[in-house]
Amino acid sequence: MSIENAVADAGCQDRQVRHERGQRAVFCGLTSIVWLHRKIQDAFFLVVGSRTCAHLIQSAAGVMIFAEPRFGTAIIEERDLAGLADMNEELDRVVNRLLERRPDIRMLFLVASCPSEVIKLDLDRAAQRLSANFAGSVGIFSYSGSGLDTTFTQGEDTCLASLVPVLPEAGRDAPRSLMVVGTLADVVEDQFARLFRDIGLENVHFFPPRDSQHLPPVGENTRFLLAQPFLTETARTLQRRGARHIPAPFPLGEEGTTGWLQAAARTFGVPDERFEAVVAAPRERARRALSAHKAKLEGKSIFFFPDSQLEVPLARFASRELDMTLAEVGTPYLHRQHLAAELDLLHKDVVICEGQDVERQLDRCRQARPDLTVCGLGLANPLEAEGLATKWSIELLFTPIQGYDQAGDLAELFARPLNRRGRLEV
Amino acid sequence: MQLTVWTYEGPPHIGAMRVATAMTGVHYVLHAPQGDTYADLLFTMIERRDKRPPVTYTTFQARDLGTDTAELFQAALAEAYERFKPQALLVGSSCTAELIQDDPGGLAEALGLPVPVIPLELPAYQKKENWGAAETFYRIVRTLAGPRQGQERPKNERPLANLLGPTALGFRHRDDILEITRLLDSMGIGVNVVAPLGASPADIQRIPDADFNVVLYPEHALSTAQWLERAFKQPYTKTVPIGVTATRAFIAEVAQVAGVSADVTERTRLPWYSRSVDSTYLTGKRVFIFGDATHALAAARVASKELGFQVVGLGTYSREFAREIRAAAAEYGVQPLITDDYLEVESAVRDSNPELVLGTQMERHVAKRLGIPCAVISAPVHVQDFPARYSPQMGFEGANVLFDTWVHPLMMGLEEHLLRMFREDFEFQEAPSHLGAAPQAPKEAPVAREAAAATAQAAAVAVAARPAESSGTAAAPVWLADAEAELRKIPFFVRGKAKRNTERYAAEKGISNITVETLYDAKAHFSR
Ligand code: SF4
Ligand code: SF4
C-alpha cells in the first residue's frame, strides 16, 4: 500500500520532498480540543461520535485533568443508527441536558467525527437549529475533527475556520488592524501584545480570544499573521472576508520571532530603527538563553516524525539556532505557501517527508540513529526502549514555546532528554 | 445517544487489542481511520510497555472512501504479514470501518495467507471493551484449539491448570498470575498455559492438555472457560481469589476439582492486622465501591468481612455481571449501581457520603474533588496503577496488599480530618494536606478572622441590648472571653467537638452568649 515516490518540485529552490503514503501514526483533529478548551474559557466541545472518539480524547487529554473538563462526547449508539430523524432529536436532548447542567457555557461546538460524517449527520444544520433555540445565550457552531479529514492540530484549524463567519465586521473605514491567528499561551500572547504596542501597532487582536465574548473584528483593513503553521482553512476563510495574510516565518526561536514580528512591522510601516530598538533587548535575552543549550546540542542529529505540522519551523530552529543536524523532517502536510519563509531558511539538502508510512519511517529512523527523535505519544517509549532519546511532539503544543522569552525553554525541551540520559547510570 | 464526560470502557476493538498485545506471535490488522492509532499510547504510555502493540491500522482517509478502502485493507494485511510473519492474524474493524462495511474477514480469506486468520466481529455501537476482549479471546481459543476436539487428554503426572483471563492493560494481572501460580504450586498443581497474557498461538493449542481452568477474570475469560468445559470437559473455577476468605474458598474449590489436599500455609498478615488494636478505628468506616464486577464484588467482601467496614455503595460498569452485583448489593443492604455514566457515579458517591472510596481512576478524581480518601481497585487505570514493585491483588500476598493500600489512605484521611478540625491550632498550621488543593473553603487570613470575631462581638452586644429579638436560629452564639479561655484548656483532640457541641446546645437553648457555665452545661447535656 505504500506509494513512495520522491518528487523534485520545481520552484525557486530545487527542494526534494518525499511523499509517502501508508499507515499513519497521527491522532485525529479531535485532539486539538485538549488545548482549545483551555484557551476559550467559556466554550464547550461536544464531540458527536463513537465510543472510540470519547476514548481518544480521554486518553489524549489524559486523565490528567482534574476538574470537570469542558468537553464531552455524545456517543452514537445502535438505536441512533436505526433512524437519522431520531438522531437529531437525540442530539437536541443531549445538548439541552448539557446546557442545563453547565449554564456557564457561552459557546458550544458540535464536533463532527468519522462516524458522524460517514452516516452524513449534518451538524451544520443541527448547529443552526439549536442556535435558534438558544439565541442570545449560547453561540452554537460546528466543525470537523474527524480522522477522515483532519490530523491532530488541524482540528484547531477547522474550529477557528468555523468561527470566522461570525467575527464582527470591520468596515471599509475601520483603521488598519493586525490579527494574530492561532492558539498561543496567555503569557506569550501578553508578551507579543507588549512588543506590538512598543513598536507602535495600535489595533492588535488575537484569535482565538480567551473568551467567546471577545471575537476580533475582521475586514478589508485587517492584516493577519499566523502564529501556527497548520491554519490553512482559517487563513482561507479570513481572506474571503477581505483580510490579508502577512507572509512570515513562525515565531519560534530568536530568528523566527524576529522575522515574524518584523513582517508585521514592515506591513504597518514601522521604521526599521524603531523596530530594532524595541526588539534589541529581548533578542539579546533570547540569544543568551539559547547559548547554554546550544553548547550541548550542537552537532547532535534530530529526526522528526510527522505529527503536529510544527516540524518544519522546529527543524529550522534546531538547525539554525542550535546547530543540530536534521536527519529527516517528517510532516503530515506541507503547506508550501505558508511555509515559504521557513523553507527558504532550511538547507536545500534537508530531507522533508510529507505524509507517512510509519513502519518504513521507523526503519529509516533506526538506521539513522538520531541523537533525538521528536514523535507522537505512541512511538516514544518503544523508541526509548531501542535506545533512542525522544521528545513528545504534543508537548510542543502545550508548552509556551513561541517568542523571544521562550526560545531558551524550547531549546531546553530538546536538551532535556539528552541531559537525562547523561545522568542515569542504570 | 449517551452524553459522556469520561468513559469506563473503550470500544470493543480496544478489548481485542488488549488480548493481541498480551500475546506473542499474533498480529491484529485493524481497519480504522488514522486517529484511531491513538490506542497505541494506552499500551506504550499508560502501561509503559517497551514495544508498540502488534497492530497495523489501515488509516484510511476521506479521499479513500467509496473507492479503494477494501484494497487498502488487503494491502495493509499483506504487508503486515510480510513484515511481522505472525503465527496467527486477527482482522477486524473499528467503529468507522464497521459503517463502511468492508468485511475484513472475507477480504482476508481472499488473500489465502498461510497462517490462521481470525476474523473479529465486534459491534462497536452495542458493545464495549471488556466484551471485546472476551470475544477475541474466545475466537482465538476456538479457532486454534478447536480442531483438537475429540482427542484424549494426556495423563498428567501432576494436575495441570490453565490460568485464563489476564490481558494487557489489566489491573495488576501481571502480578496476580505469579501469585496464583505459586499458590497452585504449593498445592502440587502445575500451570499448563497462562492466556492470553504471555501466550503464543502454539500455547493456545496446548490449552486442552490441562485438567481444569482457573478463571481469574470472568470479564475476559468466562465465555472461553464455558466453551472449554463443553468442548474438552475441562471444569473451571468459580471463585476469584481476592481477599483471605475468597482465597480460602478458592483453595477448597481447586482441591476438590484437582483431587489434592487443601492444606496450604496461609502467608498473610491481614487477619492479624485486622484484629490488632490499632485497627479499631477502622470499625464501620463507610466505604463506596465501584469498578469492574470482579473487583467490585471482591472489594465489597473484603471491606465488610475482612476489614470491618460498612459498604454504603456498590456498583459496576460491567453490565454483563449486573445480576451478581445486584445479589451482593442486597446482601449489604445497599442499592446496586449498574451504570457507565460517570456523572451518575459521581452523584452516588456524593449522596452516600463515604469515608473511603474504592474505585477506578475516575472515582479517584471524584474522591479528590470531594476531599475523600480513595484507593484504586479496578481498571480503567492510569500509569500509576502499574507500579514497579510486586503488587498482586489475588491470593494471600494480594490480601496483604489490599490491607495496606486501602487502609493507608484512610489513615491519611484520619490525619486530614484532624488537620481540618484543628486548623486553628498552631501545631497544625503548617501541616500540608496530602490531598493537595482539596476543595475546602480557602483558609481565611488571620486578619479576616479577627475582623469577623470583632464583628461578632459587636453583634453580641447589640443582641444583648435587645433581648426580645434573640430568637433561636438568628445569630450564631458568641463565645465570651472567659469561656473561650476555658475552651482552650480542653485537650486539642476533643476541643473541636466540645466547641461544636456547646454551640449546638447554645443554639438549641436560645443562648446567645456562651459563658463558662454554658460550656459545662453542654458537656453535662451531651454526656447523658
Ligand atoms: S515552495 Fe519553497 S521549497 Fe517548495 S518548491 Fe517552492 S520554493 Fe522550493
Ligand atoms: S479517528 Fe475518527 S473515529 Fe477515530 S477517534 Fe478520531 S474522529 Fe473518532
Side-chain angles (χ1 to χ4, degrees):
Chain A
M1 77 174 176
S2 308
I3 304 154
E4 191 184 332
N5 50 347
V7 179
D9 282 300
C12 52
Q13 309 159 16
D14 291 327
R15 180 174 295 288
Q16 300 278 315
V17 176
R18 182 207 298 267
H19 299 275
E20 210 172 38
R21 193 177 157 198
Q23 185 187 189
R24 310 185 102 193
V26 284
F27 292 171
C28 63
L30 296 184
T31 330
S32 317
I33 290 172
V34 178
W35 61 89
L36 286 170
H37 91 114
R38 301 187 74 89
K39 181 69 188 180
I40 318 177
Q41 301 199 348
D42 52 359
F44 192 98
F45 295 80
L46 181 65
V47 177
V48 182
S50 62
R51 185 163 293 283
T52 311
C53 309
H55 203 234
L56 164 103
I57 41 170
Q58 165 160 339
S59 309
V63 200
M64 301 176 244
I65 297 168
F66 293 108
E68 184 174 324
R70 285 188 315 282
F71 55 77
T73 309
I75 297 182
I76 300 169
E77 294 168 308
E78 184 73 10
R79 63 194 162 85
D80 298 311
L81 295 176
L84 269 181
D86 299 343
M87 191 124 132
N88 281 312
E89 273 167 36
E90 277 289 290
L91 183 61
D92 290 7
R93 180 183 64 79
V94 165
V95 168
N96 280 314
R97 178 169 171 220
L98 177 68
L99 293 177
E100 251 165 49
R101 189 184 149 80
R102 303 290 299 267
D104 50 314
I105 297 170
R106 288 278 149 278
M107 186 179 260
L108 175 68
F109 290 98
L110 304 178
V111 189
S113 66
C114 307
S116 76
E117 289 188 350
V118 171
I119 62 172
K120 303 205 160 44
L121 179 61
D122 190 341
L123 291 183
D124 290 338
R125 282 247 314 274
Q128 281 167 21
R129 181 178 70 235
L130 285 158
S131 279
N133 298 353
F134 293 96
S137 59
V138 190
I140 299 179
F141 301 88
S142 78
Y143 73 89
S144 172
S146 99
L148 296 170
D149 302 327
T150 60
T151 70
F152 191 23
T153 50
Q154 284 170 324
E156 174 171 337
D157 186 28
T158 45
C159 173
L160 297 187
S162 79
L163 285 176
V164 171
V166 300
L167 297 183
E169 177 74 33
R172 269 168 193 259
D173 26 273
R176 291 216 303 167
S177 66
L178 173 67
M179 187 193 287
V180 177
V181 183
T183 298
L184 292 169
D186 290 354
V187 53
V188 176
E189 197 177 294
D190 293 342
Q191 288 167 6
F192 283 149
R194 281 196 297 274
L195 285 169
F196 284 127
R197 186 198 60 204
D198 293 348
I199 61 175
L201 301 194
E202 276 167 11
N203 294 305
V204 181
H205 304 281
F206 290 85
F207 180 50
R210 295 182 199 186
D211 72 75
S212 67
Q213 307 306 300
H214 292 99
L215 291 172
V218 66
E220 280 175 18
N221 295 327
T222 305
R223 301 287 174 274
F224 67 93
L225 260 185
L226 293 177
Q228 302 284 12
F230 41 76
L231 299 172
T232 315
E233 194 53 35
T234 309
R236 209 183 345 250
T237 47
L238 282 168
Q239 278 160 341
R240 236 179 270 140
R241 289 203 55 182
R244 265 185 277 162
H245 175 223
I246 304 172
F250 289 89
L252 299 177
E254 182 270 315
E255 187 182 39
T257 304
T258 304
W260 188 76
L261 291 168
Q262 198 162 42
R266 294 212 170 124
T267 303
F268 287 84
V270 176
D272 278 356
E273 312 77 70
R274 173 154 189 195
F275 177 78
E276 299 295 342
V278 170
V279 301
R283 269 182 96 166
E284 180 47 33
R285 271 204 306 275
R287 284 198 199 105
R288 236 181 304 134
L290 281 168
S291 63
H293 301 294
K294 183 170 173 171
K296 290 190 197 124
L297 290 168
E298 63 187 345
K300 299 276 195 286
S301 61
I302 185 167
F303 190 110
F304 289 89
F305 275 82
D307 205 47
S308 62
Q309 289 190 37
L310 283 171
E311 293 85 3
V312 170
L314 287 171
R316 183 263 303 155
F317 167 74
S319 65
R320 294 176 59 98
E321 299 193 31
L322 300 170
D323 288 346
M324 298 179 80
T325 59
L326 303 175
E328 175 168 329
V329 182
T331 184
Y333 175 67
L334 188 71
H335 194 290
R336 278 134 207 285
Q337 210 188 330
H338 290 166
L339 288 170
E342 296 285 351
L343 291 166
D344 283 346
L345 293 169
L346 269 189
H347 194 275
K348 253 196 258 171
D349 297 339
V350 170
V351 181
I352 295 183
C353 180
E354 187 183 12
Q356 182 169 33
D357 181 330
V358 70
E359 298 292 356
R360 284 167 194 247
Q361 200 158 32
L362 282 166
D363 290 344
R364 294 198 297 274
C365 181
R366 289 179 186 121
Q367 192 165 15
R369 289 208 72 78
D371 296 298
L372 183 66
T373 303
V374 181
C375 63
L377 297 172
L379 294 177
N381 262 338
L383 288 172
E384 290 280 351
E386 292 181 27
L388 295 168
T390 62
K391 169 80 335 192
W392 290 330
S393 58
I394 197 169
E395 238 183 303
L396 300 155
L397 270 304
F398 292 150
T399 316
I401 55 168
Q402 296 86 357
Y404 291 125
D405 290 311
Q406 281 66 242
D409 302 346
L410 176 54
E412 201 272 342
L413 286 178
F414 291 156
R416 187 178 304 197
L418 304 181
N419 182 350
R420 177 159 185 78
R421 294 184 152 247
R423 286 167 190 248
L424 296 181
E425 287 183 18
V426 290
Chain B
M1 245 177 224
Q2 187 198 359
L3 176 62
T4 57
V5 184
W6 300 119
T7 64
Y8 289 97
E9 290 183 82
H13 72 259
I14 297 291
M17 282 182 75
R18 288 177 60 180
V19 171
T21 306
M23 293 181 64
T24 62
V26 297
H27 199 86
Y28 184 19
V29 178
L30 183 63
H31 206 14
Q34 55 191 0
D36 291 359
T37 59
Y38 80 89
D40 283 6
L41 81 86
L42 303 172
F43 300 92
T44 65
M45 279 178 60
I46 295 182
E47 194 173 6
R48 240 192 267 260
R49 279 187 173 254
D50 58 2
K51 283 196 198 64
R52 295 171 67 213
V55 181
T56 294
Y57 307 82
T58 56
T59 60
F60 55 84
Q61 292 168 270
R63 61 164 184 238
D64 304 314
L65 285 186
T67 54
D68 55 357
T69 51
E71 280 161 49
L72 200 63
F73 179 82
Q74 284 187 317
L77 181 59
E79 202 166 300
Y81 175 73
E82 272 312 306
R83 181 176 279 268
F84 298 104
K85 289 276 163 35
Q87 297 160 38
L89 278 158
L90 304 173
V91 298
S93 294
S94 78
C95 51
T96 307
E98 186 183 333
L99 294 173
I100 60 175
Q101 300 180 326
D102 274 337
D103 183 23
L107 291 168
E109 213 182 295
L111 283 185
L113 294 169
V115 291
V117 178
I118 305 166
L120 300 175
E121 283 188 26
L122 309 173
Y125 298 89
Q126 285 171 30
K127 301 291 190 177
K128 290 178 288 187
E129 180 175 334
N130 278 333
W131 184 90
E135 176 68 10
T136 302
F137 185 40
Y138 167 70
R139 290 281 154 210
I140 291 173
V141 173
R142 235 196 119 133
T143 307
L144 299 176
R148 293 194 51 192
Q149 277 184 82
Q151 284 178 22
E152 270 300 284
R153 184 179 308 150
K155 283 275 166 283
N156 299 315
E157 253 170 58
R158 56 176 195 162
L160 282 183
N162 298 312
L163 304 187
L164 303 184
T167 65
L169 266 188
F171 189 72
R172 310 291 160 85
H173 291 189
R174 189 182 67 189
D175 298 343
D176 286 347
I177 296 171
L178 208 57
E179 188 61 23
I180 296 306
T181 302
R182 283 182 190 154
L183 179 65
L184 292 174
D185 185 58
S186 74
M187 298 175 73
I189 298 169
V191 169
N192 180 47
V193 172
V194 177
L197 193 55
S200 67
D203 293 329
I204 300 290
Q205 286 168 340
R206 294 193 298 109
I207 283 182
D209 294 346
D211 299 294
F212 68 103
N213 289 311
V214 171
V215 175
L216 293 180
Y217 311 99
E219 279 86 348
H220 306 147
L222 187 59
S223 49
T224 300
Q226 286 168 340
W227 178 77
L228 288 167
E229 185 176 50
R230 285 197 303 276
F232 298 102
K233 303 200 175 49
Q234 280 177 325
Y236 65 90
T237 57
K238 318 282 188 296
T239 317
V240 177
I242 300 181
V244 176
T245 48
T247 301
R248 286 177 188 152
F250 174 76
I251 290 169
E253 194 186 355
V254 166
Q256 223 233 327
V257 172
V260 298
S261 156
D263 194 13
V264 172
T265 325
E266 296 194 357
R267 285 180 213 289
T268 171
R269 295 195 180 86
L270 187 148
W272 163 240
Y273 273 40
S274 265
R275 285 179 191 282
S276 74
V277 70
D278 313 70
S279 294
T280 310
Y281 81 97
L282 299 176
T283 315
K285 284 282 179 235
R286 301 164 53 80
V287 58
F288 183 98
I289 298 165
F290 193 85
D292 65 23
T294 296
H295 289 92
L297 288 168
R301 197 176 332 99
V302 173
S304 93
K305 299 197 165 71
E306 301 181 20
L307 297 172
F309 295 160
Q310 187 195 346
V311 175
V312 296
L314 175 61
T316 186
Y317 55 81
S318 317
R319 285 181 191 279
E320 295 87 350
F321 295 84
R323 198 157 42 92
E324 288 82 346
I325 291 281
R326 284 204 188 91
E331 194 184 318
Y332 301 110
V334 295
Q335 279 295 321
L337 181 65
I338 318 284
T339 183
D340 59 359
D341 185 344
Y342 162 84
L343 298 174
E344 213 179 301
V345 181
E346 182 183 55
S347 57
V349 174
R350 193 181 285 121
D351 295 348
S352 61
N353 193 25
E355 288 157 288
L356 175 68
V357 173
L358 299 175
T360 71
Q361 272 300 323
M362 312 297 152
E363 283 66 55
R364 197 174 64 83
H365 296 315
V366 171
K368 194 153 199 154
R369 264 204 296 285
L370 298 174
I372 305 170
C374 175
V376 175
I377 58 159
S378 153
V381 285
H382 199 46
V383 62
Q384 69 192 43
D385 299 310
F386 292 93
R389 67 176 188 280
Y390 180 57
S391 184
Q393 302 289 288
M394 293 188 174
F396 291 124
E397 183 58 23
N400 293 338
V401 170
L402 297 186
F403 186 92
D404 287 348
T405 47
W406 298 4
V407 167
H408 285 174
L410 258 182
M411 288 163 70
M412 300 304 279
L414 179 70
E415 188 179 292
E416 186 73 19
H417 185 65
L418 289 170
L419 280 177
R420 220 174 301 173
M421 195 156 150
F422 301 115
R423 245 205 312 241
E424 314 290 314
D425 275 279
F426 69 90
E427 310 97 292
F428 286 98
Q429 284 290 342
E430 302 303 323
S433 159
H434 80 283
L435 290 172
Q440 304 114 22
K443 267 194 196 165
E444 310 160 73
V447 183
R449 209 156 47 220
E450 271 164 33
T455 322
Q457 252 156 34
V461 173
V463 169
R466 287 171 291 148
E469 277 181 39
S470 63
S471 64
T473 55
V478 168
W479 289 79
L480 296 185
D482 278 2
E484 205 165 347
E486 194 69 15
L487 180 67
R488 288 195 185 285
K489 294 177 196 162
I490 296 176
F492 73 85
F493 50 90
V494 286
R495 197 183 302 150
K497 192 171 174 197
K499 183 163 182 273
R500 260 178 297 141
N501 281 349
T502 310
E503 285 167 1
R504 201 169 110 206
Y505 175 80
E508 277 168 14
K509 300 282 167 196
I511 296 167
S512 51
N513 292 340
I514 296 174
T515 62
V516 177
E517 278 67 40
T518 323
L519 178 64
Y520 287 113
D521 284 348
K523 182 166 187 278
H525 176 78
F526 286 110
S527 66
R528 281 169 308 170

